[in-house]
Amino acid sequence: MSNLDEKEKVSTDFIRTRINQDNESGRFDSRVHTRFPPEPNGYLHIGHAKSICLNFGIAKDYNGLCNLRFDDTNPVKEDTEYVDSIQEDVKWLGFNWSGDIHYASDYFDTLYELAEKLIMKGKAYVCELNADEIREYRGTLTEPGKKSPYRNRSVEENLALFRKMKAGEVEEGKMVLRAKIDMASPNVIMRDPTIYRIRHAHHHKTGDKWHIYPMYDFTHCISDSIEHITHSICTLEFENNRELYDWVLDALELYHPQQIEFARLNLTHVMLSKRKLIHLVQNNFVSGWDDPRMPTISGLRRRGYTPEAIRNFCSKIGVARAADSMVDYSLLEFCVREHLNAITPRLMAVLDPIKVIIENYDENAEEFFDCQLHPEDESYGTRKVPFSRELYIERDDFMENPPKKYFRLSPGNEVRLRYAYYITCKEVVKDANGNIIELICTYDPETKGGQSPDGRKVKGTIHWVSAKHAKEIEARLYDHLFPMDNPAAEDVENFTDLINKDSLKVVKAFAEPHLATLPIGEKVQFERLAYFCVDYDSTSEKPVFNRTVTLKDSWAKIEKKA
Ligand code: ATP
Ligand code: MG
């Protein structure tokens, strides 16, 4: 694990370079204070993890602070379930926010006062154009906008109307408060943006107190300012909003953080749009936000991914200012394998069993092999693996008519049963339809422990489970929810048509007894197969395992080729 910690140390990216410059010039008195500002309208996903690692990581690197602030200005879409899950996920990723949790709604009173102040400065007005008209008046990228007929109201009239809006005396959609900036600005966002709108809705924190809610662009910069944030890091789609961020703070003569934009994470096989993720959950395409096929932090956690692996992934992808690029999902899997390889015990289970009968092994005998739980770390200890006359091996590990260089079990061929003995296949037993039902084998008692005293070598080693000692387990085998690289780019009416119908396969498997004793959340390697973890649906009668990631490593090959 120590080498992972080492790798987590991040090199200097363009954001840290700018922070270094600010520290040198003394711009923020050498303070570094960031924030992570999720909107509580969904669960966090792997894209948020990039932002979390960046904001909290910078605070850590500079001995600074990072706030957690809920950007809860839209009462209609927000929910306390999301507020709770977001806190849990940030903590699980290994980060602590500074001080109390902040809510944009904590600032509603201040924001309101500042809006009145803007009105009094002649820099905001109440507009009665409807949403369509506002859009029409806004103009386009190539044409300037038109001024609203309500733009030149007096300060007194604006104040009176804004107070009526606040008092709940105006219908939704009838009026908005707009900043008075420039309808001809080349930046469309600066064409008198709406800063307050009417919503007669219950808010998860402020209840029914408010009938008007501030818009993101007005709220965000002021919240940053109130919290004395130094560097307000956000994704690239807010680049054009920076001018408005600066305008609001300048107009109100407030302390002024620096907004910096970086490229969003996009991952192959994954949809990160919250709207789409909510759709999957609400329409039961998945079992919930934490379905192990979801790209949510809670889904990845349930799947068996570790915080260390996710942080290492975020450090490997780095941060760039360049336009959003697509990261290969196999890089994330590579990071997961790398960590699980270091920390997981190895155990044996058979997912697709075929029976082996060892005809020269006493029917009533059994023995127990002491086997190390981790090949390189003795501190993991050992467990006893039972052996007897009837075993299960993987169907894949036998071929009746093998091609050349097939070293696993085949008629007449000798293989090593991991930790146990050499066996040779003598006979294949089939049912009336010609399906193989069992294999009759013999074992060599001299090869106990899987070593031959005469130095006889076998090329294949296979895993197995003693049939009479085996515990039946449920193994949930996951694959990508979206089989194509870039599902968002597919031209379909319903994105759910793209879902991989085989993304979850549930199989009954046989496991060595120790596997049935593991607690929920425990991570293991099923030897030669994959990494698994114990799901919370698991009971002592029916242990349930999620396949986290297979052992096959396509990323390492890609990297080697490059
Ligand atoms: P919404 O469309 O609901 O605003 P969002 O993805 O922007 O969705 P937020 O809750 O506003 O969600 O995000 C919180 C923070 O996480 C923001 O600073 C946002 O920029 C960042 N973030 C969201 N998605 C990604 C992503 N794919 N890559 C990097 N950062 C992201
Ligand atoms: Mg957002």
Side-chain angles (χ1 to χ4, degrees):
M1 274 183 63
S2 61
N3 68 345
L4 260 189
D5 291 344
E6 195 57 38
K7 275 184 209 135
E8 282 184 29
K9 276 186 204 139
V10 216
S11 56
T12 304
D13 49 61
F14 83 97
I15 296 180
R16 285 172 171 84
T17 303
R18 291 188 60 178
I19 293 174
N20 291 341
Q21 286 162 359
D22 288 340
N23 284 348
E24 273 158 36
S25 72
R27 177 166 173 204
F28 296 108
D29 304 323
S30 299
R31 283 184 315 118
V32 174
H33 197 159
T34 56
R35 85 285 169 271
F36 174 64
E39 191 180 340
N41 61 353
Y43 279 57
L44 297 181
H45 55 57
I46 184 75
H48 293 114
K50 176 176 179 179
S51 177
I52 291 169
C53 288
L54 185 59
N55 280 297
F56 286 94
I58 283 175
K60 214 178 206 171
D61 287 358
Y62 289 90
N63 283 321
L65 303 169
C66 180
N67 291 2
L68 174 62
R69 182 198 315 140
F70 287 103
D71 172 20
D72 56 350
T73 51
N74 185 355
V76 185
K77 287 191 181 164
E78 293 156 8
D79 202 305
T80 44
E81 178 193 350
Y82 301 138
V83 170
D84 296 340
S85 74
I86 289 170
Q87 295 176 45
E88 185 186 353
D89 290 348
V90 171
K91 279 191 249 168
W92 179 77
L93 280 172
F95 298 106
N96 292 309
W97 48 89
S98 125
D100 292 338
I101 294 173
H102 298 262
Y103 293 85
S105 57
D106 292 342
Y107 311 133
F108 280 175
D109 286 314
T110 310
L111 288 161
Y112 178 80
E113 280 164 31
L114 290 169
E116 283 209 351
K117 187 170 168 192
L118 213 53
I119 293 173
M120 287 187 280
K121 283 172 170 266
K123 292 184 175 183
Y125 63 98
V126 172
C127 182
E128 289 172 61
L129 294 178
N130 64 33
D132 288 336
E133 291 163 335
I134 288 183
R135 203 171 307 123
E136 202 184 299
Y137 274 65
R138 190 180 297 133
T140 63
L141 283 176
T142 49
E143 282 168 48
K146 279 192 300 188
K147 287 178 183 162
S148 160
Y150 304 100
R151 199 173 197 261
N152 289 322
R153 283 183 151 140
S154 67
V155 167
E156 291 68 33
E157 194 184 356
N158 278 318
L159 270 183
L161 289 172
F162 190 46
R163 287 172 186 167
K164 265 182 83 167
M165 285 167 64
K166 181 188 182 222
E169 292 164 17
V170 186
E171 248 178 82
E172 276 188 24
K174 290 284 182 216
M175 289 180 191
V176 293
L177 184 71
R178 298 176 71 175
K180 191 170 177 178
I181 310 180
D182 178 6
M183 288 309 292
S185 170
N187 181 354
V188 179
I189 287 173
M190 298 299 279
R191 296 183 188 168
D192 292 9
T194 298
I195 56 176
Y196 260 92
R197 61 180 167 178
I198 299 167
R199 281 277 183 281
H200 299 293
H202 187 85
H203 186 277
H204 75 112
K205 290 230 8 145
T206 58
D208 298 315
K209 174 174 177 189
W210 293 93
H211 297 278
I212 54 173
Y213 289 92
M215 301 297 286
Y216 172 86
D217 282 313
F218 186 67
T219 312
H220 195 77
C221 55
I222 294 174
S223 306
D224 281 348
S225 178
I226 292 171
E227 292 173 21
H228 271 80
I229 300 304
T230 55
H231 299 87
S232 177
I233 300 166
C234 62
T235 42
L236 220 49
E237 71 273 19
F238 290 101
E239 185 173 13
N240 288 334
N241 301 56
R242 185 176 359 112
E243 197 178 345
L244 179 53
Y245 184 106
D246 292 341
W247 183 91
V248 171
L249 295 178
D250 290 342
L252 291 165
E253 297 161 82
L254 295 173
Y255 161 80
H256 203 138
Q258 176 64 51
Q259 176 178 311
I260 305 174
E261 308 88 26
F262 72 99
R264 214 169 238 276
L265 169 69
N266 295 306
L267 257 189
T268 58
H269 301 290
V270 163
M271 296 263 201
L272 291 180
S273 144
K274 270 196 227 166
R275 196 175 50 75
K276 288 185 175 144
L277 296 180
I278 288 175
H279 186 85
L280 291 174
V281 173
Q282 288 181 344
N283 297 283
N284 301 315
F285 288 101
V286 292
S287 65
W289 283 100
D290 68 350
D291 185 300
R293 290 166 296 175
M294 290 283 275
T296 49
I297 304 298
S298 53
L300 300 175
R301 173 165 64 233
R302 187 171 173 194
R303 175 90 174 246
Y305 285 30
T306 61
E308 290 87 342
I310 295 173
R311 292 200 303 264
N312 190 31
F313 169 73
C314 290
S315 121
K316 274 191 199 299
I317 58 177
V319 275
R321 222 194 148 274
D324 303 6
S325 62
M326 189 67 99
V327 174
D328 202 310
Y329 197 90
S330 58
L331 177 61
L332 178 55
E333 293 188 323
F334 171 85
C335 295
V336 173
R337 277 190 199 98
E338 187 177 47
H339 189 223
L340 293 181
N341 177 46
I343 63 163
T344 53
R346 272 53 167 176
L347 290 139
M348 295 198 289
V350 174
L351 294 182
D352 183 13
I354 180 170
K355 193 168 252 183
V356 163
I357 301 193
I358 303 182
E359 58 178 4
N360 59 338
Y361 195 87
D362 183 347
E363 220 165 307
N364 299 314
E366 60 178 12
E367 52 192 308
F368 292 85
F369 295 103
D370 271 317
C371 303
Q372 223 169 282
L373 279 163
H374 194 288
E376 278 143 39
D377 189 342
E378 283 182 12
S379 71
Y380 280 70
T382 62
R383 86 288 188 186
K384 295 214 180 296
V385 182
F387 184 85
S388 64
R389 178 181 158 95
E390 295 194 9
L391 314 170
Y392 294 116
I393 66 164
E394 213 69 60
R395 195 164 282 274
D396 253 9
D397 283 334
F398 175 78
M399 274 185 100
E400 195 172 9
N401 300 299
K404 267 191 190 149
K405 301 213 168 154
Y406 182 85
F407 300 121
R408 290 170 275 167
L409 199 61
S410 58
N413 192 36
E414 188 172 48
V415 297
R416 175 188 295 109
L417 293 177
R418 179 97 163 118
Y419 306 119
Y421 293 104
Y422 287 10
I423 61 166
T424 306
C425 178
K426 296 292 179 191
E427 195 190 327
V428 181
V429 182
K430 293 181 184 172
D431 65 12
N433 298 321
N435 301 313
I436 300 175
I437 45 173
E438 55 189 43
L439 305 171
I440 311 291
C441 300
T442 57
Y443 84 116
D444 176 355
E446 297 297 312
T447 57
K448 188 165 178 167
Q451 307 292 335
S452 162
D454 62 10
R456 185 167 91 245
K457 293 250 185 319
V458 289
K459 283 220 166 116
T461 300
I462 63 175
H463 63 275
W464 53 275
V465 171
S466 163
K468 79 171 170 202
H469 301 95
K471 299 286 177 206
E472 197 177 298
I473 61 168
E474 176 175 312
R476 298 180 180 169
L477 310 179
Y478 300 102
D479 203 345
H480 293 303
L481 203 51
F482 298 102
M484 60 292 299
D485 271 0
N486 187 359
E490 297 289 319
D491 184 19
V492 281
E493 209 162 301
N494 296 312
F495 79 97
T496 50
D497 293 346
L498 302 170
I499 289 176
N500 172 9
K501 302 277 182 303
D502 294 324
S503 55
L504 168 60
K505 280 191 209 133
V506 179
V507 303
K508 269 191 201 147
F510 292 110
E512 62 167 286
H514 188 78
L515 267 173
T517 66
L518 301 176
I520 287 166
E522 190 82 350
K523 295 158 183 63
V524 295
Q525 186 193 102
F526 288 7
E527 282 208 50
R528 302 180 61 235
L529 296 174
Y531 294 99
F532 280 82
C533 77
V534 184
D535 190 74
Y536 63 61
D537 286 342
S538 208
T539 61
S540 49
E541 289 79 55
K542 196 187 80 177
V544 179
F545 286 81
N546 294 320
R547 184 171 71 194
T548 308
V549 63
T550 57
L551 297 182
K552 201 183 87 211
D553 189 349
S554 52
W555 181 258
K557 276 183 219 140
I558 295 170
E559 230 176 8
K560 236 181 208 167
K561 258 193 267 162

